[in-house]
Amino acid sequence: MSMELLSPEELEEALRRIGAERYHSNHPFHRLLHDGKLTRGQVQAWALNRYYYQAQIPVKDASLLARLPTAELRREWRRRIEDHDGDGTRPGGIERWLKLVEGVGLDPARAVSTAEILPETRFAVDAYVHFVRDRSLLEAVASSLTELFSPTIIAERVSGMLRNYEWIHEDTLAYFTPRLTQAPRDSDFALAYVKAHADAVEKQQAVLAALRFKCDVLWSQLDGLYYAYVAPGFVPPGAFVPEAA
Amino acid sequence: MSMELLSPEELEEALRRIGAERYHSNHPFHRLLHDGKLTRGQVQAWALNRYYYQAQIPVKDASLLARLPTAELRREWRRRIEDHDGDGTRPGGIERWLKLVEGVGLDPARAVSTAEILPETRFAVDAYVHFVRDRSLLEAVASSLTELFSPTIIAERVSGMLRNYEWIHEDTLAYFTPRLTQAPRDSDFALAYVKAHADAVEKQQAVLAALRFKCDVLWSQLDGLYYAYVAPGFVPPGAFVPEAA
């Protein structure tokens, strides 16, 4: 780990290297998901668990919003909350994720209750919410930078899932379409913020650690899914059990 | 789930039923560990990760201690911290766990750094610390009640590991001996506290949920170990990789 002060460009390169190594696009569960290798019950487990992540995103963004010092910064960050919570007429990301849950054949109420999610999902997502609430603003912003890497995985996911699962339709995956423009807009802002504010070695190291932490949050959710629903396939007590095919 | 007020004895029965169903003695990783079915590298991974849990126990106990209203209660709970942190002459549980780490062939400094633990370990343990800090005192006390079930698993573990791994010696497992008396003493107190204070349906339900939560904390640490080091055996980026045998 370099302990010298990086230029803003070098910092961006270091962030992108972390993504290349640790972003959950590299996780075996995603390869199975995108390649059509999962059963419907396994895809349901993914949708059900991932809902908890979606539902907590505006919670973590609200705690970040509460700490931003200027109206300009708050306006920028508020848009993320609107994207997820909607405005009462246009549905937000949470509501659209429930369409996905429904589209893969699960009652959305089962996702909303969160009663059947894996402990791994709950602990990882809650760790993210706590991190954003408890760490410096710079680290909180940096932890959002996994969005730098999401357009590629989303494009791969949507095309792969449509091609490989006959029971998945385009409107089931409608969640992802706006994310293709929202994520780059959000990550452009966050990256510029981080490059401008990480002006000391310790701050740069904290920023890199925050992105590694966030990669772990995403990665461990897939570890939990793989363990419980792929191999060895031991579902923890109380968690979702797919119906027999 | 019964929503009637339980007698203290019924509450205890309900707590013990949760243990019978959800305590991590039922986890397949423990069966492998105790039956001598793990490699030395897999046992090292267990010792390394479990260290983080051990190290955070006095942290969660200190945040509980800070909220106890009387000297009598605080003296009772302070003993738990002394058990783990030691008194500067006799080693506490943390130091004794490092002997275990060393005894299975790992440099204790690697455990202390926590750099190589699984994200699942960190998130589950941190979830426990946050739970104790953020929930009611009654729920915080109730979450310690997994100790009701630990003497059995400890006895099974020590005898199983000594019998089945020739490279494990009695002094490697010295951590566990005092736990056989400390855990029942602590859980007797916590159980009496919970039975006396959970005097409304909502409080009883919260107590049962707290114990379920804590079982999840223990269970998901073993899920992570199984997933990464047994099957399928995918080690998350940055986590401990056993040396080739």
Side-chain angles (χ1 to χ4, degrees):
Chain A
M1 196 186 301
S2 160
M3 286 307 213
E4 286 168 27
L5 188 67
L6 307 173
S7 70
E9 293 66 35
E10 288 169 334
L11 180 62
E12 177 172 345
E13 272 170 42
L15 289 164
R16 291 190 183 277
R17 268 200 305 277
I18 289 172
E21 283 170 17
R22 291 172 176 250
Y23 189 57
H24 64 170
S25 52
N26 296 331
H27 196 285
F29 190 88
H30 269 160
R31 284 204 295 274
L32 297 175
L33 177 69
H34 302 161
D35 291 350
K37 301 284 198 261
L38 298 182
T39 64
R40 200 158 184 234
Q42 290 167 326
V43 175
Q44 289 175 345
W46 168 74
L48 179 82
N49 277 275
R50 171 90 185 190
Y51 172 78
Y52 185 63
Y53 177 73
Q54 299 297 341
Q56 293 304 104
I57 291 295
V59 173
K60 76 93 187 162
D61 281 324
S63 89
L64 203 156
L65 183 67
R67 299 160 66 200
L68 286 168
T70 69
E72 191 189 349
L73 287 168
R74 283 194 299 271
R75 276 197 302 273
E76 176 64 42
W77 215 269
R78 204 180 65 209
R79 211 165 44 185
R80 295 173 177 246
I81 304 182
E82 290 163 5
D83 288 344
H84 278 84
D85 283 341
D87 61 8
T89 51
R90 282 170 306 139
I94 295 178
E95 203 176 329
R96 283 184 286 119
W97 194 271
L98 290 177
K99 293 281 176 209
L100 189 155
V101 171
E102 203 173 4
V104 301
L106 266 193
D107 181 351
R110 292 175 73 177
V112 172
S113 87
T114 78
E116 299 170 89
I117 64 173
L118 296 168
E120 285 80 358
T121 304
R122 191 178 302 279
F123 299 154
V125 171
D126 291 354
Y128 186 31
V129 174
H130 291 139
F131 184 95
V132 169
R133 187 188 64 191
D134 297 340
R135 298 298 185 100
S136 71
L137 196 52
L138 180 63
E139 288 167 288
V141 172
S143 69
S144 75
L145 284 174
T146 44
E147 287 190 305
L148 283 172
F149 319 117
S150 76
T152 314
I153 197 177
I154 288 177
E156 189 186 308
R157 178 178 300 154
V158 170
S159 64
M161 289 178 79
L162 288 176
R163 191 168 55 242
N164 293 313
Y165 301 103
E166 55 179 28
W167 41 273
I168 284 186
H169 307 291
E170 217 171 312
D171 57 349
T172 305
L173 302 182
Y175 168 83
F176 295 107
T177 316
R179 296 304 303 156
L180 289 169
T181 47
Q182 290 165 353
R185 184 201 63 202
D186 291 348
S187 63
D188 283 353
F189 174 84
L191 182 61
Y193 182 93
V194 161
K195 286 164 78 172
H197 289 80
D199 54 6
V201 174
E202 303 73 38
K203 290 185 197 172
Q204 293 185 339
Q205 293 301 320
V207 158
L208 296 170
L211 182 58
R212 266 186 232 107
F213 162 82
K214 173 64 176 303
C215 287
D216 282 352
V217 165
L218 297 174
W219 190 278
S220 92
Q221 291 178 64
L222 297 180
D223 282 359
L225 286 167
Y226 199 108
Y227 172 84
Y229 299 109
V230 180
F234 297 142
V235 178
F240 172 71
V241 177
E243 280 179 42
Chain B
M1 195 186 301
S2 160
M3 287 306 211
E4 285 168 27
L5 188 67
L6 307 172
S7 69
E9 294 67 35
E10 288 168 335
L11 180 62
E12 177 172 345
E13 274 170 41
L15 289 164
R16 291 190 183 277
R17 269 199 305 278
I18 290 172
E21 284 170 17
R22 290 171 175 252
Y23 189 57
H24 64 171
S25 52
N26 296 330
H27 196 285
F29 190 89
H30 270 159
R31 284 203 295 276
L32 298 175
L33 176 68
H34 304 160
D35 292 351
K37 302 285 198 260
L38 298 183
T39 64
R40 201 159 183 233
Q42 290 167 326
V43 175
Q44 288 175 345
W46 167 75
L48 179 83
N49 277 274
R50 172 90 185 190
Y51 173 79
Y52 185 63
Y53 177 74
Q54 300 297 339
Q56 293 304 103
I57 291 294
V59 173
K60 75 93 187 162
D61 281 324
S63 89
L64 204 156
L65 183 67
R67 299 161 66 199
L68 286 168
T70 68
E72 190 188 351
L73 287 168
R74 284 194 299 272
R75 277 198 301 273
E76 176 64 41
W77 215 269
R78 204 180 66 208
R79 209 164 48 183
R80 294 175 177 246
I81 304 180
E82 291 164 5
D83 287 344
H84 279 84
D85 283 341
D87 61 8
T89 51
R90 281 169 308 137
I94 295 178
E95 201 175 329
R96 284 184 286 118
W97 194 270
L98 290 177
K99 292 279 176 212
L100 189 155
V101 171
E102 202 172 5
V104 301
L106 266 192
D107 182 350
R110 292 176 72 176
V112 172
S113 88
T114 80
E116 298 171 272
I117 64 173
L118 295 168
E120 286 80 358
T121 304
R122 189 177 304 279
F123 298 153
V125 171
D126 290 354
Y128 186 31
V129 175
H130 291 140
F131 184 95
V132 170
R133 186 188 65 190
D134 297 339
R135 298 298 185 101
S136 71
L137 195 51
L138 180 62
E139 289 167 289
V141 172
S143 69
S144 75
L145 284 174
T146 44
E147 287 190 305
L148 283 172
F149 320 118
S150 76
T152 314
I153 198 176
I154 287 177
E156 191 186 308
R157 177 177 301 154
V158 170
S159 64
M161 289 178 77
L162 287 177
R163 191 168 55 242
N164 293 313
Y165 301 103
E166 56 180 26
W167 42 273
I168 286 187
H169 307 291
E170 216 170 313
D171 56 348
T172 305
L173 301 182
Y175 168 82
F176 295 107
T177 315
R179 294 306 300 158
L180 289 168
T181 47
Q182 290 165 353
R185 183 201 64 201
D186 292 346
S187 63
D188 283 353
F189 174 84
L191 182 60
Y193 182 94
V194 161
K195 286 163 78 173
H197 289 80
D199 54 6
V201 174
E202 302 72 40
K203 290 185 196 172
Q204 293 185 339
Q205 293 301 321
V207 157
L208 296 170
L211 182 57
R212 267 185 232 108
F213 162 82
K214 173 64 177 304
C215 287
D216 283 352
V217 166
L218 297 174
W219 191 278
S220 90
Q221 291 177 64
L222 297 180
D223 281 359
L225 286 166
Y226 200 108
Y227 173 85
Y229 299 108
V230 180
F234 297 143
V235 178
F240 172 71
V241 177
E243 280 179 43

